[in-house]
Amino acid sequence: GRIGGGVNVSGTPGAPLVTGAFLWTDGSLGEVSLEQASFLMLPAEDGYALDGDLVFSPGGELLLDGFVPVQVDLDSGGDVDLERDGFEIELKGTGVPLQALEGVVDGLSDAGGQLRLTGRVDGTLANPVPTLDIGIAQGAFTFSETRLTYREMRLNASLTKDKFELKNFKVVAEPWGAQTALARNGPLQVKGSVLFKDGFEPSTTS
């Protein structure tokens, strides 16, 4: 692939302004070809605006748009206040190929299907607050750690600051490798939720 981009720093030590850009074309993520991957960071009032995208050649994309409330004063040591309000990231991923995880997740191979990810993360950098919907359609992969092949995977879930809700999860697991006699195959279907305390620590399940 081809990679281009750069970072420019201007302003003063007390109020530096950073502009950054990155473009990657004809590359690959895992086993999936990328049409392009780009990221842009521009100075804005009280912080920086972010814009990014991953566009996959077989189809599907993951888009990012947001704002990070970061101000750096090098005259005062360069410390960053991670508790400032205004952090906001919008995410929209449709048709993201699960095959992109191959080569990224150890032991995962033969992946197929698509991932859906939509929602936002806001709050502060120190305490991000997600509001996300996550889905998988026609998912499949083999995982060497479990020596199982998973197929016909369907997932519909949501994640917030207070709860992870598994609205629907279904998968068929089949034995793989030398220990087929010890493995069970068949459908698994799960619904339920996990309530969180501060810091995503599970408190109760249902």
Side-chain angles (χ1 to χ4, degrees):
R2 297 189 296 272
I3 297 176
V7 176
N8 180 66
V9 180
S10 60
T12 66
L17 297 175
V18 180
T19 301
F22 168 85
L23 179 63
W24 182 19
T25 59
D26 300 325
S28 63
L29 184 61
E31 298 297 320
V32 182
S33 298
L34 285 171
E35 187 173 313
Q36 76 167 36
S38 66
F39 180 78
L40 184 65
M41 182 176 73
L42 295 173
E45 185 176 356
D46 296 326
Y48 289 87
L50 306 179
D51 183 79
D53 62 69
L54 283 172
V55 181
F56 297 93
S57 298
E61 61 184 10
L62 177 62
L63 308 178
L64 176 152
D65 182 63
F67 176 80
V68 179
V70 170
Q71 290 183 320
V72 180
D73 184 350
L74 298 179
D75 288 334
S76 300
D79 292 337
V80 175
D81 183 5
L82 301 180
E83 299 287 351
R84 292 184 63 198
D85 291 329
F87 174 63
E88 182 179 343
I89 299 291
E90 295 278 350
L91 294 168
K92 183 178 179 181
T94 55
V96 177
L98 289 179
Q99 195 179 9
L101 297 176
E102 291 189 33
V104 178
V105 178
D106 288 341
L108 187 144
S109 61
D110 303 319
Q114 297 84 38
L115 169 70
R116 183 192 78 251
L117 176 66
T118 59
R120 61 190 292 162
V121 181
D122 52 22
T124 68
L125 287 170
N127 295 290
V129 178
T131 305
L132 299 172
D133 286 313
I134 308 158
I136 293 176
Q138 300 176 334
F141 60 85
T142 295
F143 194 47
S144 61
E145 291 293 324
T146 61
R147 305 191 71 83
L148 292 173
T149 293
Y150 303 91
R151 60 180 177 82
E152 299 179 25
M153 182 182 296
R154 296 200 305 269
L155 170 70
N156 185 14
S158 63
L159 176 65
T160 66
K161 177 183 178 181
D162 303 313
K163 181 171 69 172
F164 173 72
E165 184 176 3
L166 195 58
K167 302 174 183 178
N168 183 33
F169 175 69
K170 183 178 180 181
V171 65
V172 174
E174 296 179 333
W176 167 82
Q179 298 180 356
T180 57
L182 302 179
R184 293 184 177 181
N185 61 319
L188 171 68
Q189 200 157 6
V190 180
K191 293 182 181 180
S193 61
V194 179
L195 301 181
F196 298 124
K197 294 188 287 188
D198 292 340
F200 297 103
E201 180 182 348
S203 60
T204 61
T205 60
S206 62

